[in-house]
Amino acid sequence: TLTLTSLIILTLPIITTLLQNNKTNCFLYITKTAVTYAFAISLIPTLLFIQSNQEAYISNWHWMTIHTLKLSMSFKLDFFSLTFMPIALFITWSIMEFSLWYMHSDPHINRFFKYLLLFLITMLILVSANNLLQLFMGWEGVGIMSFLLISWWHGRTDANTAALQAMLYNRIGDMGFIMMMAWFTIHLNSWEFQQIFLTNPKNTTLPLLGLLLASAGKSAQFGLHPWLPSAMEGPTPVSALLHSSTMVMAGVFTLIRFYPLMENNLTIQTSTLCLGAITTLFTAICALTQNDIKKIIALSTSSQLGLMMVTIGINQPHLAFIHMCTHAFFKAMLFLSSGSIIHNLNNEQDIRKMGGLYKTMPITSTAIIIGSLALTGMPFLTGFYSKDPIIETANMSYINTWALLITLIAMSMTASYSTRIIFFALLGQPRYPSLTQINENNPYLINPIKRLILGSIFMGFLISMNTIPHTTPQMTMPPHLKFMALAVTLLGFTVATELNNMTHNLMFKQPSRMHTFSTMLGYYPTITHRILPYLSLTMSQNLATTIMDSIWLEKMIPKNLTTMQKTAASLVSNQKGLMKPYFLSFLLSITLGLLIAL
Amino acid sequence: MPYIYINIILAFVISLIGTLIYRSHLISSLLCLEGMILSLFTLNALLSLNINFTLSTIVPLILLVFAACEAAVGLALLIIISNTYGLDYVQNLNLLQC
């Protein structure tokens, strides 16, 4: 029964795509209800798993055998995939309902829904894959759908460059993935997870490095991160689905999948830890002074992903997974409410031009406040059940102190930029033009947000109560460490509130160095996106034009010869240019010579 | 010596005098230079045919090649002078500019 139900889950959305009735209006509603039923059905295996803690592997279709490598289509239904699938389906259901309101005036809305559905299917393939080939198919699938969806408004240059950026950074990560697959084929002769974990090889540094690179590319870690803020060029439902809850989780999810191998390899753990710590601090710094509401939320996603990497780095993959699930809820909700604000203010995305929405858009402002509180780890909301254990475990483990410190600093910055969003968007006097059309009464807008609010509040509790802990959490610790997360967050809140209130009516004469560092995203995109084309273009210019044309053909022999001769002639000669007397004297001397000889 | 050789050598000498004595135009000197080359070419061809020394029949051809290059160089010089001064009068060549 488990097998049948999970296969039905995957095929229900697929059937909808195959019907392809793009012209009719009810395609949208069919898609949405298909996803709803898929969500409901996917709860059945999850509940069965919670009750029995029995994992399942379905391996049905043997595709081909290349020499000794057997490739088949197999699904792995363990704790990770069974918990993540209903969450992904729930969020996709909410987002599809939301995009019925948001993309209402778009003529190609059927195509949009088709793309969202394709994305969902590839994400589910990725999550439930039991061998690396299937995971790679899902991996590439989400990459392609991300490209198509970011460049949804493809008439806009920025959208196209952002989609290209996403594709290229993902590709760099894919190189790591392929290296990992190649290593496993060569050394272990299999791409199935069971075989990899059973044989438990001893020298796994190289493939795990490849995996780390792949996750860094997919999940926007430092070094491969600029695509995530740029990906906000896509419509808000796309940002909510792909770049907050699901696709960027793919990288972290794959790292979590490989936890048996990573347990034994301390080098990889340390590098994951440091990479995650750098990412979370760097993106939190950048998020502090951004002015576009979607970019702030995107950088916040990147920061939380860094936190998940830190958790994997301290050898707690299950905590990272729980944080991933809870993060999906409140981040999607933050994006949906920002989409509601943007549409209601007539496509205004700059928070310096919003304000005073606390009274006019009550449901959205409630959503933002609850989402921000959950994000920062307010006790007993969702984020608390995942973030607090992470910080406690990090405080009590034997890790790099510097990584721990910057994670804590990044946590306080999380509180700061969330306060900034609330302060600029919701509080104060309105700063937008006075002819407004603020209307939140559409059920397609309200219902998803309401569902996600409920999810944000309760899901943390539900998930942590219903899962069996795989590692014993730290029970005893000194009180100052126990309250560290809360203290740091409160510090961030208060500092941000004070600063915002004090400097609200002040203006920069010239922004300080730190401010421009943060607003320009740390200069990283500016440097790297220009340096590579610059280097290759100057190299080609040097080779083709300078070396060949100008030096070898023009300057080396002809021009050098002329300058040499001219300087020599002008230095040496003292002629006066009298041609005729010279010729006459020549003739005279020849004749005299002939006469004398004869 | 056979008469025909004297004839051609006389043509050569006349062209030589023409190269060295000219009034004002540089191009007349170049023209007489061409005449010198023509007479030399004919002399070479006739000589190698009359002495039946077949290995030297290539000499007139080589001479022709070099003559062509030389004529081109001469004309290029003429054109540069003409660019600066407008005419190719020899009196104009008294300014050294480098």
Side-chain angles (χ1 to χ4, degrees), chain A residues 253-537:
Chain A
F253 189 81
T254 326
L255 266 182
I256 293 176
R257 268 294 162 109
F258 274 89
Y259 79 88
L261 289 184
M262 288 185 61
E263 276 176 339
N264 300 330
N265 195 335
L266 282 181
T267 321
I268 296 293
Q269 282 184 10
T270 324
S271 39
T272 320
L273 177 73
C274 292
L275 185 66
I278 293 179
T279 308
T280 169
L281 184 68
F282 184 76
T283 47
I285 291 178
C286 292
L288 281 177
T289 53
Q290 294 294 316
N291 290 320
D292 184 359
I293 192 173
K294 282 173 69 171
K295 279 207 168 53
I296 299 181
I297 305 182
L299 288 168
S300 154
T301 311
S302 201
S303 187
Q304 295 299 307
L305 287 171
L307 186 67
M308 286 178 223
M309 285 287 205
V310 164
T311 325
I312 298 177
I314 56 177
N315 205 8
Q316 299 289 331
H318 303 278
L319 284 181
F321 179 72
I322 295 177
H323 188 61
M324 197 168 107
C325 295
T326 53
H327 171 261
F329 281 101
F330 44 80
K331 199 43 73 69
M333 185 171 71
L334 279 175
F335 266 113
L336 289 192
S337 35
S338 76
S340 150
I341 293 180
I342 290 172
H343 243 38
N344 275 323
L345 290 182
N346 205 9
N347 295 333
E348 181 59 61
Q349 281 185 310
D350 198 337
I351 56 174
R352 297 173 288 191
K353 287 204 188 160
M354 303 176 190
L357 293 171
Y358 186 67
K359 294 284 169 62
T360 49
M361 299 175 69
I363 295 183
T364 314
S365 20
T366 322
I368 289 189
I369 294 179
I370 291 184
S372 304
L373 287 176
L375 174 64
T376 56
M378 167 73 81
F380 306 117
L381 286 184
T382 309
F384 176 70
Y385 287 101
S386 49
K387 241 188 176 181
D388 217 47
I390 294 177
I391 300 294
E392 284 173 15
T393 326
N395 278 336
M396 298 303 292
S397 346
Y398 179 63
I399 63 171
N400 202 347
T401 316
W402 170 77
L404 177 62
L405 277 177
I406 63 182
T407 316
L408 289 173
I409 294 176
M411 272 201 67
S412 71
M413 287 186 181
T414 309
S416 300
Y417 58 69
S418 305
T419 324
R420 189 165 187 263
I421 294 181
I422 295 177
F423 185 77
F424 275 96
L426 303 179
L427 305 174
Q429 299 292 318
R431 290 185 290 273
Y432 45 87
S434 22
L435 197 62
T436 56
Q437 49 202 27
I438 296 182
N439 179 13
E440 333 182 85
N441 288 325
N442 199 333
Y444 287 141
L445 170 62
I446 300 182
N447 285 340
I449 295 187
K450 274 200 267 193
R451 278 200 298 270
L452 285 175
I453 289 180
L454 285 175
S456 301
I457 300 178
F458 293 118
M459 274 321 285
F461 178 70
L462 287 175
I463 292 182
S464 56
M465 285 302 130
N466 287 329
T467 58
I468 303 172
H470 285 248
T471 55
T472 46
Q474 270 286 344
M475 294 296 180
T476 59
M477 61 189 83
H480 61 269
L481 287 183
K482 179 94 181 150
F483 289 123
M484 176 83 76
L486 196 58
V488 150
T489 315
L490 282 175
L491 180 71
F493 269 134
T494 45
V495 165
T497 328
E498 279 306 309
L499 278 177
N500 274 332
N501 275 330
M502 286 198 314
T503 61
H504 183 55
N505 290 321
L506 300 177
M507 199 178 76
F508 282 122
K509 211 186 273 185
Q510 184 193 10
S512 68
R513 294 268 200 87
M514 288 301 295
H515 184 85
T516 39
F517 176 80
S518 171
T519 318
M520 296 289 292
L521 299 177
Y523 305 120
Y524 184 89
T526 326
I527 296 178
T528 45
H529 292 168
R530 293 180 193 186
I531 220 177
L532 281 176
Y534 176 74
L535 284 178
S536 46
L537 285 176

Side-chain angles (χ1 to χ4, degrees), chain B residues 58-72:
Chain B
I58 200 172
V59 172
L61 289 172
I62 298 180
L63 182 65
L64 213 54
V65 167
F66 282 112
C69 295
E70 168 199 350

Side-chain angles (χ1 to χ4, degrees), chain A residues 19-244:
Chain A
L19 278 181
Q20 288 290 338
N21 37 2
N22 277 339
K23 300 292 185 275
T24 67
N25 215 1
C26 55
F27 174 70
L28 314 172
Y29 303 102
I30 292 178
T31 317
K32 185 174 73 77
T33 42
V35 174
T36 317
Y37 291 157
F39 165 64
I41 296 178
S42 72
L43 281 178
I44 303 177
T46 313
L47 291 172
L48 279 171
F49 173 78
I50 291 176
Q51 193 247 341
S52 67
N53 196 19
Q54 179 189 21
E55 303 182 342
Y57 311 101
I58 310 168
S59 177
N60 37 17
W61 179 54
H62 176 203
W63 184 23
M64 61 166 89
T65 309
I66 304 177
H67 289 296
T68 50
L69 180 68
K70 177 171 180 237
L71 298 173
S72 58
M73 179 166 97
S74 60
F75 300 97
K76 178 174 162 109
L77 303 173
D78 63 340
F79 163 61
F80 296 132
S81 61
L82 279 178
T83 321
F84 193 72
M85 282 210 285
I87 292 179
L89 283 165
F90 180 72
I91 294 182
T92 315
W93 171 34
S94 305
I95 288 177
M96 279 190 176
E97 203 171 331
F98 174 78
S99 51
L100 277 174
W101 173 75
Y102 192 83
M103 310 286 294
H104 179 252
S105 54
D106 197 317
H108 300 292
I109 190 172
N110 284 334
R111 191 151 43 115
F112 187 74
F113 268 72
K114 188 169 75 166
Y115 285 169
L116 282 184
L117 199 60
L118 270 177
F119 171 79
L120 175 68
I121 294 172
T122 46
M123 188 72 204
L124 289 178
I125 293 177
L126 197 157
V127 161
S128 61
N130 195 19
N131 56 354
L132 277 176
L133 182 67
Q134 207 167 325
L135 204 142
F136 192 60
M137 292 199 299
W139 186 275
E140 291 294 302
V142 295
I144 292 180
M145 295 326 292
S146 155
F147 173 78
L148 286 173
L149 281 169
I150 294 176
S151 60
W152 176 252
W153 290 311
H154 51 79
R156 190 180 145 91
T157 326
D158 282 339
N160 283 334
T161 48
L164 207 58
Q165 237 178 321
M167 208 59 219
L168 288 176
Y169 277 115
N170 270 333
R171 262 288 167 251
I172 300 178
D174 288 347
M175 286 199 303
F177 199 94
I178 294 182
M179 178 169 80
M180 176 175 75
M181 285 169 75
W183 194 92
F184 280 132
T185 317
I186 294 176
H187 287 253
L188 296 178
N189 188 31
S190 158
W191 277 336
E192 304 266 331
F193 285 150
Q194 283 77 39
Q195 191 162 339
I196 294 174
F197 297 152
L198 274 177
T199 50
N200 205 7
K202 288 297 168 209
N203 48 349
T204 52
T205 312
L206 189 61
L208 288 178
L209 266 179
L211 180 63
L212 189 60
L213 181 65
S215 309
K218 198 65 145 190
S219 301
Q221 300 299 306
F222 183 72
L224 295 173
H225 67 278
W227 68 270
L228 194 53
S230 311
M232 296 298 120
E233 296 285 336
T236 311
V238 168
S239 306
L241 188 57
L242 270 71
H243 307 121
S244 65

Side-chain angles (χ1 to χ4, degrees), chain A residues 575 577 579-580 583 586-587, chain B residues 20-23 90 93 96:
Chain A
Q575 293 185 12
M579 292 286 296
K580 287 203 289 190
F583 277 160
F586 179 64
L587 186 62
Chain B
L20 298 176
I21 302 178
Y22 56 93
R23 271 210 35 199
V90 180
L93 296 179
L96 275 179

Side-chain angles (χ1 to χ4, degrees), chain B residues 16-87:
Chain B
L16 179 68
I17 295 176
T19 319
L20 298 176
I21 302 178
Y22 56 93
R23 271 210 35 199
S24 39
H25 281 273
L26 197 64
I27 198 170
S28 59
S29 176
L30 292 178
L31 208 62
C32 291
L33 204 64
E34 293 301 311
M36 282 165 70
I37 292 176
L38 182 64
S39 59
L40 276 175
F41 172 78
T42 328
L43 191 63
N44 262 323
L46 279 177
L47 216 54
S48 56
L49 281 175
N50 277 351
I51 311 179
N52 290 331
F53 181 30
T54 35
L55 218 52
S56 75
T57 42
I58 200 172
V59 172
L61 289 172
I62 298 180
L63 182 65
L64 213 54
V65 167
F66 282 112
C69 295
E70 168 199 350
V73 169
L75 281 173
L77 281 173
L78 191 74
I79 289 176
I80 292 182
I81 293 176
S82 186
N83 272 346
T84 356
Y85 294 107
L87 289 168

